[in-house]
Amino acid sequence: MVGFCFGGGLVWQLLSAGALGVSAAVPFYGPLPPQPDFTGAKAAVLGIYGALDTRVTGSQAAAKAALDRFGLVNELVVEAGADHAFFNDAGPRYNATAAADAWQRLLDWLNRYLAP
């Protein structure tokens, strides 16, 4: 499961709802729901943030604490010099370096945690 912005927020919400059958999740700069409860979720979570996107990236510590509290495999990455929507190559905040790094991390994560 992968989502960007609003879709990234939906990834967090689905994880909070238990996300049955989801093995890997990658929310890109999605807002974390208040007091997330990841009971029932089994997904390995790779959270991707932009360093300049302080509104969303400010929830990184809460996301990490919740993921750890519920025992989910996780890694949270903050892309230096990147803002919200840095992956959107048609938008003004596109950051090619951050997007390339995030894409490779996403591919590696999915290859590691999705069943062959």
Side-chain angles (χ1 to χ4, degrees):
M1 171 169 53
V2 177
F4 297 84
C5 187
F6 178 79
L10 290 178
V11 169
W12 287 118
Q13 288 185 29
L14 287 168
L15 289 169
S16 199
L20 298 176
V22 176
S23 299
V26 185
F28 274 76
Y29 37 80
L32 186 71
Q35 301 165 341
D37 179 351
F38 298 135
T39 302
K42 304 291 184 218
V45 180
L46 172 64
I48 309 273
Y49 299 88
L52 304 177
D53 182 14
T54 57
R55 180 183 63 83
V56 175
T57 304
S59 68
Q60 177 192 7
K64 178 70 174 159
L67 292 165
D68 289 348
R69 183 170 55 254
F70 291 97
L72 296 178
V73 170
N74 69 85
E75 181 180 347
L76 302 180
V77 175
V78 178
E79 294 288 352
D83 205 340
H84 190 83
F86 72 83
F87 200 83
N88 179 359
D89 63 356
R93 298 184 208 157
Y94 177 62
N95 181 314
T97 301
D101 181 65
W103 180 248
Q104 189 58 57
R105 288 174 184 270
L106 175 140
L107 293 176
D108 292 346
W109 195 261
L110 297 181
N111 283 328
R112 187 176 317 138
Y113 292 105
L114 292 180

